Amino acid sequence: MELHLHLVFNGDCEKAFSVYKQIFNGEIVFLFRKGEDRTLSVGEEEKNKISHIVLNTEHFSIQGEDADKGVPVTTGSNKLVLVFEDRAKLQSVFTVLSEGGTIVSPLEKTFFSEAIGEVIDRFGVRWLLMMTDKDYEG
């Protein structure tokens, strides 16, 4: 069994994946636009939106799409959790994800982790970033 993460965006999927590609040092291995799907009838304003995209990184894969016109996009209270072993990399990713977004909680030391923080990025995706708690003695 495999778990595949699929994110839905309100028209800015390609821009989000461009940012994610950069900060996660990933590769976009598949990109299919709504206008390329001959089974759909889409308007001019929809044809360049993303029907399906796949970003592979060293540690995970993310898939995504733009919602169909008129379909509301909400992220609710779900979070994507990233666990790091390198504090500098954690800080770098947290900084980029928070640009234009909202810091829910800044990176702080806790009883179970050297650093943990939460951000909602400018695309509305909620991320919890933390240092590994493996062998941590706070």
Side-chain angles (χ1 to χ4, degrees):
M1 180 183 309
E2 294 180 2
L3 174 65
H4 290 242
L5 178 64
H6 188 93
L7 303 173
V8 180
F9 295 85
N10 195 21
D12 52 6
C13 179
E14 189 167 13
K15 189 173 182 179
F17 271 68
S18 176
V19 171
Y20 301 157
K21 175 184 174 186
Q22 176 189 357
I23 62 176
F24 300 130
N25 194 30
E27 179 182 359
I28 294 175
V29 296
F30 185 82
L31 190 149
F32 188 70
R33 298 186 187 281
K34 292 181 185 265
E36 296 173 303
D37 188 343
R38 294 197 170 124
T39 66
L40 295 176
S41 176
V42 295
E44 193 64 30
E45 71 282 355
E46 296 284 305
K47 73 177 187 175
N48 285 321
K49 290 189 177 179
I50 303 299
S51 180
H52 190 71
I53 190 169
V54 178
L55 171 72
N56 287 343
T57 75
E58 180 182 353
H59 300 287
F60 58 88
S61 178
I62 303 175
Q63 302 174 17
E65 69 177 290
D66 284 312
D68 291 335
K69 186 177 181 179
V71 175
V73 176
T74 58
T75 58
S77 58
N78 295 318
K79 302 174 192 178
L80 303 181
V81 179
L82 295 174
V83 180
F84 294 82
E85 293 185 6
D86 180 324
R87 176 68 189 255
K89 183 67 176 173
L90 166 71
Q91 182 64 59
S92 173
V93 171
F94 188 88
T95 299
V96 174
L97 287 175
S98 62
E99 290 172 1
T102 303
I103 295 175
V104 177
S105 59
L107 290 174
E108 296 179 329
K109 184 176 181 177
T110 68
F111 71 93
F112 63 89
S113 178
E114 177 185 332
I116 186 169
E118 190 172 327
V119 63
I120 300 171
D121 71 18
R122 65 181 167 246
F123 308 106
V125 177
R126 192 172 191 134
W127 301 87
L128 178 70
L129 292 84
M130 65 180 285
M131 289 295 293
T132 181
D133 57 359
K134 185 173 48 178
D135 301 325
Y136 179 69
E137 296 179 21

